[in-house]
Amino acid sequence: GAIPLLAASCGGDGDFDATGTFEATEIVVSAEAAGRILRFDAEEGDVLRAGRQVGAIDTVQLYLQKLQLERQRASVRSGRPDIGKQAASLREQIAKQQTERRRVENLLKDGAATTKQLDDIDAQLKVLGGQLDALLSTLENNAVSIDENSSAIELQIAQVEDRLAKCRIASPVTGTVLAKYAEAGELASVGRPLMKVADLDRIYLRAYFTSDQLADLRLGQEVTVTADFGGERQLDYPGRIVWIASESEFTPKTVQTRNSRAGLVYAAKIAVENDGRLKIGLYGEVKL
């Protein structure tokens, strides 16, 4: 990590190129489900890992809905026809008739049977073949229809599981809890803010430069950032310019510029590695 150096310069000697305040990317975590907050184990100052559950919103109704859908799916699936079993007796009859046909054919060669007997068996085989085709077609249609119903119920189960997942309270980023807006026992509604989280390891100084300083700025440039802890206490940190505004703005009231008459300034963000001492809103100065 970056080791800050104790700066000898005093804050008021004007030895800076730009000033500003430290900020971090703040994320407001909101409820994605409606219901009573059953638990919420995050306190201001806690460091949360991304995706780790810290609370839960009541899921009983959703859980019951999921159970009901699972029963429905099982019931639908139980009605799926066993095509092999249901067609077995017709296939058996056809096999018997084919054996009989071979026997009559042999008898016919020896003149011991008539062609009418063979024709009757062929007609019978044709009827049985037609019945088997019709049965298979009906059973397959039934099976397809049942599979589609079952898939539709599976989609509903997936929707409920997605809603159950949204009852988990978790931070989308690894960061520190800056503020907590709800407590266990309260009712949450979709979109209600629950807490504000920021990754304080990645902290930025938003500093303001005058137009004549822009020529000296470039992305990725290494600069020295001095954090002002009040009184004589200042610490230097290495910083890197990661963003420069493309439009100017009026100088914020809280900001000093090197040229006190400058009316328009350009914001820039300087990334600084935080050793744990830098806080949001702390005043800082930049030396190019």
Side-chain angles (χ1 to χ4, degrees), residues 35-41 53-60 167 169 183-188:
R36 191 167 300 285
I37 299 171
L38 298 181
R39 68 178 186 87
F40 192 10
D41 309 327
Q53 184 171 352
V54 291
I57 293 166
D58 182 21
T59 59
V60 172
C167 292
I169 300 172
E183 295 294 339
E186 293 178 5
L187 278 176

Side-chain angles (χ1 to χ4, degrees), residues 21-68:
T21 51
F22 286 96
E23 60 179 41
T25 305
E26 298 178 6
I27 292 171
V28 174
V29 179
S30 299
E32 292 186 84
R36 191 167 300 285
I37 299 171
L38 298 181
R39 68 178 186 87
F40 192 10
D41 309 327
E43 295 304 331
E44 288 171 12
D46 286 359
V47 176
L48 305 183
R49 223 171 50 246
R52 193 176 76 83
Q53 184 171 352
V54 291
I57 293 166
D58 182 21
T59 59
V60 172
Q61 291 304 316
L62 287 173
Y63 180 68
L64 293 175
Q65 200 179 330
K66 185 185 168 186
L67 285 183
Q68 186 187 359

Side-chain angles (χ1 to χ4, degrees), residues 208 248-253 262-266:
Y208 295 87
S248 62
E249 55 185 288
F250 286 105
T251 310
K253 284 194 173 62
L264 290 173
V265 287
Y266 291 82

